[in-house]
């Protein structure tokens, strides 16, 4: 299975194409279906790098192609114009060399440039108040979305989100601007302490996460559950302890919002 080191070797193999204006085509129908060749064709390849288990090919104009090889995918480099046996997902031709990508299975354009992560919540140097100030940069976003945005604060996942908001009595459906500082500080601070304890092997009892329909440990009201945000991650909350209207996500379009109250994950 391609691990990080295999990705680094693939990145090294593709270096002869860096700086070249690329002709791209997708002989394989599944490769063609990704639409990648159309977008990168004619662009200069600026950089190839392995990041974790991804290979990132950066083209001029901020276009980034992400390749994940999983078990089966391969990148090869050979002299331009060599006879093709089989159908690669993607061919990238430079002046003297061409790269071929075989078997995908993940070949996609980044929808937006990979942006830097926010401060790590568990780092000693990270102050809860600074995290809250970063959350405030998107005042109309839903709290349940903003806290999961790794560009604002890195480290909080779905479980810690649900638990922290339950402890701080903040509804994930409130907009950031509607929640006073002390409540945001309580939520972020609780998450930080609980995650630190978890690093030491101490896990708090779950109060809301994955407990839809079961009584809130504080007031007995059944815990609710609903998809929230772009990835329609499931959020859990007590409608009595964490009051606030349930609404579509913070952005205007509201698509991807699918109420499915009370269903189990
Ligand atoms: Zn409750």
């Amino acid at each position: 299975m391609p691990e990080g080191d295999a990705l680094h070797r693939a990145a090294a193999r593709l270096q002869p194409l860096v700086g070249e204006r690329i002709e791209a085509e997708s002989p394989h129908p599944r490769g063609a279906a990704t639409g990648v060749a159309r977008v990168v064709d004619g662009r200069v390849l600026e950089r190839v790098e392995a990041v974790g288990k991804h290979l990132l090919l950066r083209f001029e104009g901020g276009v980034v192609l992400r390749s994940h090889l999983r078990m089966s995918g391969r990148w090869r480099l050979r002299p331009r114009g060599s006879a093709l046996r089989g159908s690669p997902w993607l061919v990238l031709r430079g002046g003297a060399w061409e790269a071929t990508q075989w078997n995908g299975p993940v070949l996609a354009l980044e929808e937006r440039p990979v942006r830097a992560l926010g401060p790590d919540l568990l780092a000693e140097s990270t102050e809860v108040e600074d995290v809250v100030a970063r959350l405030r940069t998107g005042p109309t976003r839903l709290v349940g979305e903003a806290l999961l945005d790794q560009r604002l604060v890195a480290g909080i996942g779905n479980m810690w989100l649900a638990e922290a908001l339950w402890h701080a009595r903040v509804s994930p459906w409130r907009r950031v601007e509607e929640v006073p500082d002390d409540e945001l500080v309580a939520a972020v601070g609780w998450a930080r302490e609980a995650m630190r304890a978890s690093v030491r092997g101490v896990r708090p009892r779950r109060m809301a996460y994955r407990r839809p329909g079961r009584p809130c440990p504080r007031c007995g009201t059944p815990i609710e559950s609903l998809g929230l945000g772009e990835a329609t991650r499931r959020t859990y909350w007590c409608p009595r302890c964490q009051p606030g209207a349930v609404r579509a996500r913070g952005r205007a379009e509201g698509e991807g919002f699918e109420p499915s109250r009370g269903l189990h994950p």
Side-chain angles (χ1 to χ4, degrees):
M1 173 162 182
E3 291 292 335
D5 57 331
L7 270 295
H8 280 274
R9 282 197 299 275
R13 208 174 297 139
L14 298 185
Q15 293 307 313
L17 288 176
V18 172
E20 305 250 296
R21 193 168 294 282
I22 299 297
E23 294 164 31
E25 64 165 320
S26 282
H28 194 287
R30 288 189 65 194
T34 65
V36 164
R38 232 176 14 253
V39 174
V40 304
D41 186 51
R43 291 181 191 268
V44 173
L45 177 61
E46 294 179 335
R47 200 166 158 199
V48 179
E49 58 186 331
V51 177
K53 293 188 175 182
H54 299 266
L55 195 65
L56 299 181
L57 287 79
R58 298 180 189 278
F59 291 85
E60 65 178 327
V63 171
V64 180
L65 168 59
R66 182 169 57 87
S67 163
H68 195 308
L69 300 174
R70 299 228 173 101
M71 304 288 278
S72 57
R74 296 286 180 272
W75 279 94
R76 300 210 168 99
L77 188 80
R78 56 204 207 130
R80 179 181 171 127
S82 307
L84 264 186
R85 278 190 216 106
S87 298
W89 278 38
L90 184 65
V91 181
L92 300 177
R93 292 196 177 91
W97 297 93
E98 63 187 39
T100 49
Q101 203 287 326
W102 300 84
N103 301 325
V106 178
L107 208 52
L109 297 167
E110 292 282 349
E111 286 178 19
R112 52 192 164 206
V114 180
R115 276 184 261 182
L117 292 178
D120 183 337
L121 185 61
L122 294 182
E124 287 298 331
S125 57
T126 301
E127 300 287 346
V128 169
E129 287 74 14
D130 294 341
V131 171
V132 169
R134 292 174 73 87
L135 295 174
R136 294 267 182 231
T137 60
T140 63
R141 298 184 79 189
L142 303 182
V143 171
E145 272 188 290
L147 279 170
L148 291 180
D149 187 338
Q150 305 294 303
R151 295 165 300 178
L152 296 178
V153 53
I156 300 179
N158 220 16
M159 180 185 77
W160 296 119
L161 170 78
E163 295 300 297
L165 292 180
W166 183 89
H167 280 273
R169 304 185 186 221
V170 174
S171 164
W173 300 97
R174 286 164 78 189
R175 297 194 195 285
V176 170
E177 64 191 355
E178 297 168 341
V179 183
D181 273 351
D182 60 331
E183 293 182 25
L184 287 177
V185 165
V188 174
W190 189 91
R192 180 176 162 106
E193 290 315 308
M195 289 165 69
R196 281 182 170 165
S198 175
V199 170
R200 298 191 303 269
V202 182
R203 282 234 163 178
R205 186 161 79 91
R206 279 196 281 114
M207 302 300 188
Y209 181 69
R210 290 198 172 167
R211 300 185 75 248
R214 295 172 61 190
C216 166
R218 198 159 41 208
C219 75
T221 304
I223 296 292
E224 296 213 24
S225 138
L226 205 52
L228 179 154
E230 284 176 65
T232 58
R233 286 194 193 84
R234 193 150 284 275
T235 190
Y236 303 86
W237 78 102
C238 169
R240 184 160 174 205
C241 298
Q242 299 163 264
V246 172
R247 49 175 45 133
R249 67 198 215 216
R251 289 181 204 130
E253 63 269 24
E255 76 234 18
F257 179 74
E258 241 176 78
S260 48
R261 191 175 297 239
L263 289 181
H264 289 257

